[in-house]
């Protein structure tokens, strides 16, 4: 059985291909169409996935009729339908079950609680499951309008950012704000798990105060604080209901790396797969149909540029320019560049941040993330766990030595890497460490603000021509 998993008609369409538990392909539509968060899969991604095998079954990540009824009931478009055209048997799985499967079946756990928090699926917005062996059982569900994700998105929109897309910018703004200023006011919108009745789908329509530039940062800080408080409440409930000590966390909310760090204080072990949002659900749906753990090795599952990891070229570029861009091998499945479509830079230079921000045309307050050799991580960052997919913000212990990867609040969103996970990137870091005494590099995505990560050869040529900068490959 070769299963084609599909996620589309929501933000960030994707496709996965799974044969007998082996993940042959997993990629994002946006990387092929060049449309950020593309809602639909396209001819190019279908053509690419077929290079890896001919599917015999299709697994779809939602129940389209149920979602359609919900969209219809709230007055949205009623002519919406899934865009599946292949003449193969199709099996539909619920939105939250696909999230749960993407998480649990890529984890190493045989016994865990699975928590899914997002904006909305068909009707479910929050769910708790138990994973035991190959079985996933539903324990608890909450429906729209209760929603962690819609709460966060509505406030993202209130400060003038794009909901369902720019929550990560809003999250970064929190470090620049005073959370106490608007805490009580924001808390009224989400006072506890029982009393949240506000319909965030309509936005924060009753905000009755003018919002200055600084207020935007203060609101972001208050929203992050309220979100973290409610998250701890929800995770405590999940623990009480199941008694489990291993956590699988999924849904778009699992991209909140500042809040994710708190989970390590509540559970013995935590797994967040590198693509916990809806784009990960094409793999989740395929895993649901397979019905058991997948052979999860790495997130490098998308378009293949081929080539050997250009270690020498990267080091040469770093010494010469303090910056090195790299595009090689298979593209990352998930929103973060983890070394195959990355820009690296010297984290010791405080001015390098502005240089990279100008290249990427990003807001100057946006933080950059470090990649660190795993065995050195706890000497540079306050962490007792590894973070191979850049999912946790932790306190930097030596901020004076690597100022360009430390956020305003003293934290860094760390990626740890060991030789097994990525031999080429590990070698780059080892060489850099031998030369500088610092086992850390700045790592950011190889893209331009608002555009998807670079994917193929044509993207590389276009980028090089635009910036007059050679990409290592
Ligand atoms: Fe979702």
């Amino acid at each position: 059985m070769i299963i084609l998993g599909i996620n589309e008609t929501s933000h960030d369409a994707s496709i996965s291909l799974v044969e007998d538990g082996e993940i042959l392909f997993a990629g994002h539509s946006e990387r092929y169409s060049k449309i950020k968060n593309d809602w639909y899969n396209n001819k190019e991604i279908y053509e690419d996935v077929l290079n890896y095998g001919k599917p015999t079954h299709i697994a779809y990540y939602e129940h389209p009729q149920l979602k359609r009824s919900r969209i219809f009931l709230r007055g949205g478009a009623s002519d919406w339908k899934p865009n599946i055209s292949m003449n193969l048997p199709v099996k539909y799985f619920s939105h939250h079950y696909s999230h749960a499967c993407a998480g649990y079946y890529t984890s190493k756990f045989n016994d865990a609680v699975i928590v899914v928090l997002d904006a909305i699926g068909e009707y479910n917005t929050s769910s708790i499951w138990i994973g035991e062996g190959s079985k996933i059982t539903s324990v608890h569900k909450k429906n729209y309008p209760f929603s962690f994700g819609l709460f966060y998105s509505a406030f993202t929109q209130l400060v003038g950012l794009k909901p369902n897309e720019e929550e990560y910018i809003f999250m970064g703004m929190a470090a620049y704000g005073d959370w106490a200023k608007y805490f009580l006011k924001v808390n009224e919108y989400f006072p506890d798990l029982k009393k949240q009745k506000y319909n965030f789908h309509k936005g924060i329509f009753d905000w009755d105060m003018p919002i200055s530039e600084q207020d935007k940062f203060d609101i972001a800080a208050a929203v992050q604080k309220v979100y973290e408080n409610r998250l701890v409440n929800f995770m405590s409930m999940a623990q009480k209901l199941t008694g489990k000590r291993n956590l699988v966390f999924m849904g778009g909310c699992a991209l909140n790396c500042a809040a994710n760090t708190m989970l390590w204080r509540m559970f013995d072990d935590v797994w967040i797969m590198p693509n916990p949002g809806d784009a990960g659900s094409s793999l989740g749906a395929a895993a649901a149909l397979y019905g058991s753990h997948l052979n999860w090795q790495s997130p490098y599952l998308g378009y293949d540029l081929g080539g050997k990891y250009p270690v020498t070229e990267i080091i040469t570029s770093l010494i010469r320019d303090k910056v090195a861009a790299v595009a090689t091998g298979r593209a990352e499945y998930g929103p973060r560049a983890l070394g195959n479509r990355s820009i690296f830079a010297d984290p010791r230079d405080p001015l390098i941040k502005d240089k990279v921000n100008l290249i990427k045309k990003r807001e100057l307050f946006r933080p950059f993330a470090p990649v660190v050799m795993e065995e050195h991580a706890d000497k540079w960052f306050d962490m007792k766990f590894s973070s191979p997919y850049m999912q946790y913000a932790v306190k930097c212990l030596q901020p004076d030595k690597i100022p360009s990867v430390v956020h305003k609040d003293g934290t860094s969103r760390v990626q740890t890497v060991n030789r097994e996970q990525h031999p080429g990137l590990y070698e780059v870091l080892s060489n850099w460490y031998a030369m500088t005494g610092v086992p850390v590099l700045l790592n950011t995505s190889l893209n331009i603000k608002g555009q998807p990560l670079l994917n193929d050869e044509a993207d590389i040529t276009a980028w090089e021509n635009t910036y007059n900068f050679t990409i290592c490959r």
Side-chain angles (χ1 to χ4, degrees), residues 132-296:
E132 281 170 350
S134 290
K135 207 163 169 241
I136 295 177
T137 316
S138 171
V139 175
H140 176 85
K141 279 174 184 163
K142 270 184 170 316
N143 282 350
Y144 174 82
F146 176 93
S147 172
F148 277 81
L150 290 176
F151 161 75
Y152 214 92
S153 293
F155 280 97
T156 300
Q157 188 176 30
L158 180 71
V159 303
L161 293 169
K162 217 169 159 188
N164 276 330
E165 196 174 315
E166 295 187 323
E167 283 75 7
Y168 68 102
I169 299 177
F170 190 54
M171 181 178 68
M173 288 167 65
Y176 291 81
D178 169 12
W179 65 264
K181 190 171 171 195
Y182 286 109
F183 178 78
L184 290 175
K185 190 168 170 64
V186 172
N187 197 58
E188 276 175 33
Y189 287 88
F190 198 168
D192 65 34
L193 298 181
K194 289 206 173 75
K195 287 187 199 144
Q196 192 251 282
K197 304 272 192 264
Y198 195 86
N199 191 337
F200 294 110
H201 232 148
K202 294 173 182 158
I204 307 297
F205 49 83
D206 54 357
W207 190 267
D208 53 0
M209 297 166 87
I211 299 173
S212 70
E213 277 309 301
Q214 182 55 42
D215 285 335
K216 292 179 182 178
F217 293 91
D218 295 339
I219 291 169
V223 167
Q224 180 67 22
K225 193 81 177 167
V226 172
Y227 170 78
E228 288 175 2
N229 289 350
R230 296 295 86 81
L231 181 71
V232 168
N233 297 153
F234 198 87
M235 290 293 177
S236 301
M237 180 173 78
Q239 227 167 17
K240 269 192 206 127
L241 281 172
T242 65
K244 303 293 184 195
R245 300 297 311 163
N246 297 323
L247 170 70
V248 174
F249 185 26
M250 291 295 292
C253 294
L255 289 164
N256 192 315
C257 52
N260 288 347
T261 309
M262 301 190 306
L263 304 174
W264 285 98
R265 293 198 284 270
M266 304 180 71
F267 293 88
D268 293 345
D269 205 346
V270 180
W271 170 253
I272 302 173
M273 69 92 83
N275 207 357
D278 285 1
S281 287
S282 64
L283 187 62
L289 184 54
Y290 180 61
S292 191
H293 283 80
L294 303 175
N295 180 15
W296 176 262

Side-chain angles (χ1 to χ4, degrees), residues 66 84 160 175 210 267 279 321 330 333 366 381 397 449-450 454:
L66 260 184
I84 296 175
F267 293 88
D321 305 318
R330 296 190 72 173
Y333 183 49
R366 296 271 307 284
F381 305 99
L397 301 176
K449 188 199 169 221
L454 266 59

Side-chain angles (χ1 to χ4, degrees), residues 390-412:
M390 217 183 255
Q391 292 164 318
Y392 304 98
V394 294
K395 191 167 177 269
C396 180
L397 301 176
Q398 305 193 52
D400 297 343
K401 288 190 182 160
I402 47 172
S404 73
V405 290
V406 185
H407 201 12
K408 179 81 167 30
D409 60 1
T411 65
S412 304

Side-chain angles (χ1 to χ4, degrees), residues 10-11 61-62 95-96 99 116-121 251-252 276-279 281:
S10 170
H11 48 91
Y61 86 117
E62 278 190 338
H95 187 107
H96 270 229
H99 274 310
V116 181
L117 298 175
D118 64 3
I120 189 165
D278 285 1
S281 287

